[in-house]
Structures are given as C-alpha cells and as structure tokens.
Amino acid sequence: MEGLFFADASQQLYFYNPQDESVSTLCLELETQYALTGLTTLPPGLPEFACIPVCTTDAGELAPGGPFNICVNSPFNFPAAELTDLDANDLLQYVLFTNPADTAGSIVAVSNTPQFTFAPPLQTGITYYVAAMAGNGLNGNVDLNDVCLDFSNALELIWQPLPAIQLAAPNPDLCAGDCRTLELQLSGTGAFTLAGNLVSGGNVIGTFNETFSGNTGAIIVCVPGGTLPGPVLVQPTALTDAWCICE
C-alpha cells in the first residue's frame, strides 16, 4: 500500500493512507537513543510524491437548515451547492445517505439536481442525510473511488407519512333531522384537522370541520330536515396533521 510515513516530536511513527485519509500509529515507543529524520522538502529535479494527490476538488457548501420533515407526496427541494471547485473532468451530484460517519458507503439515492423524491427503498420515519458530492466523472456519475472525492456539509431530513382516518360507521342510515355520533381513529402526528361533507343522493347536504389533539375522537353527524330518505355518506375531504395534508 502506498502512503507516507512521518514522525512527530514525541518520536512516534505514523502512516498516512491517502486512499481514505486515515492516520495510524505504527510505533509507540521508539528507543530514545535513535532519532527519526527526513527531508523537509524534496531536492530540485525530483518528481512529486505520487501517492499523495494534490486535490482541488471541492463539493462546496449547502445552505444550512433543518432538520426537515417532508411529506411523502412532496419532493425535498433545497438550494444548489455554493463555493464549489471542480476541475475539467469533475462532476457535481447530490446524494441521499443514512450514515454521516460513512457517507460514500451508505448512499441510497443519487441526483443530478438538488431534489429528492420519496420512492422505494426509502422509508417514513427514518433519518436521512443529503449532501453535495464532487469527483471525477465515470459513466455519467461521480467515481466513488476517486482519491479526491469530496462531500459538502449534510442536511438532515425525515419523510413523514400522510395522515389517515378510519370511521366507525362511514354510511349511517339516518332520517331527516336525526343526529349520530361517529367514533374515528386517526393515524399521523397530532394535532389533526378533519374537514368533510355529508352526501345524500349525490348531493352535499352538510359539511363539518373538526380538530383533534389525539389519535381518537368523534364527530356528530346531523341530517337537515327535508332530506330525502336513504343512506348518508360521511365524506372526508381533507385531513391535516402536524406535518402533512391528505386530500
């Protein structure tokens, strides 16, 4: 493996690996009667040390913000990276990943634009991270094995599921002037706002708009006088929770 050996004033010996930019200690206790010396600069005429690349590639910076909570029916849009530095064969892309300690090894989606859309294998309620990525182009994508591969700062986001409702009796058979209490179950993150219509014979005969602090509740359905006999449809038209709206 190519790399660079170096020492510090404490006489400890280290190895620098340019592939992953890691530094490991090779020797902790050198004999004090020995000293480590090396060239401070290369003599004139000698080539640069090839195993240590001179990298100018810079993925730049993403505008800070978040954490972001995004509905599954909405894309996550964010400003393009700024202060980038790309050479002639570099590409700039955006990555969605799961582990900030292993960005390249946990990428789940790549985009050429600063936008990601919820789709398999993404999951709701999971923390994801977004960053810009720059490096040599390879078949239209950034080469993850480029020794000058660079990532920007990361943004944190969670995709939130759409709220849902389940009514105990969605089609109550009521007479004109009658009222009935309907129990309901809500899924999502409270608080909730529920709006809807009462429909009879294809006509809207009433509306409702209720708020609920928890995941259970009830609405009172009343049929106006003069309504023709027949089933009354309780028709939710919009359900909003802390993050999303389902219409």
Side-chain angles (χ1 to χ4, degrees):
M1 178 183 296
E2 292 184 324
L4 175 67
F5 296 93
F6 66 96
D8 61 14
S10 66
Q11 295 294 297
Q12 295 190 82
L13 183 63
Y14 305 93
F15 176 74
Y16 168 75
N17 181 353
Q19 297 298 319
D20 59 10
E21 300 184 350
S22 64
V23 175
S24 55
T25 303
L26 298 182
C27 188
L28 295 175
E29 296 181 1
L30 295 176
E31 295 293 334
T32 56
Q33 66 265 34
Y34 299 104
L36 292 174
T37 59
L39 295 174
T40 303
T41 59
L42 293 176
L46 289 182
E48 293 289 334
F49 188 31
C51 77
I52 302 180
V54 178
C55 294
T56 60
T57 299
D58 191 336
E61 292 290 325
L62 297 181
F68 298 94
N69 287 276
I70 311 298
C71 296
V72 293
N73 60 347
S74 300
F76 177 50
N77 297 293
F78 51 97
E82 298 181 340
L83 304 176
T84 60
D85 189 357
L86 307 177
D87 60 35
N89 63 341
D90 279 345
L91 291 178
L92 179 72
Q93 293 182 303
Y94 300 91
V95 290
L96 184 72
F97 58 101
T98 59
N99 184 359
D102 183 20
T103 301
S106 64
I107 294 173
V108 293
V110 179
S111 175
N112 292 324
T113 60
Q115 180 188 89
F116 285 97
T117 300
F118 185 84
L122 303 181
Q123 302 177 55
T124 60
I126 301 295
T127 299
Y128 293 97
Y129 302 88
V130 165
M133 171 179 68
N136 290 338
L138 179 65
N139 299 323
N141 289 297
V142 172
D143 182 3
L144 295 179
N145 293 316
D146 180 8
V147 294
C148 291
L149 180 69
D150 187 59
F151 295 96
S152 72
N153 59 310
L155 305 179
E156 182 179 328
L157 73 148
I158 298 175
W159 263 289
Q160 299 290 348
L162 295 178
I165 183 174
Q166 182 177 2
L167 292 171
N171 294 288
D173 191 4
L174 298 175
C175 295
D178 285 350
C179 293
R180 180 174 297 177
T181 299
L182 299 181
E183 303 292 333
L184 52 85
Q185 295 283 336
L186 300 164
S187 62
T189 304
F192 300 88
T193 300
L194 173 65
N197 298 324
L198 302 180
V199 180
S200 175
N203 298 313
V204 175
I205 60 172
T207 62
F208 57 89
N209 192 297
E210 302 286 346
T211 58
F212 307 94
S213 59
N215 293 87
T216 60
I219 58 174
I220 299 175
V221 177
C222 294
V223 179
T227 302
L228 296 176
V232 175
L233 174 65
V234 179
Q235 184 183 67
T237 57
L239 176 62
T240 304
D241 72 352
W243 308 116
C244 304
I245 180 171
C246 183
E247 296 180 306

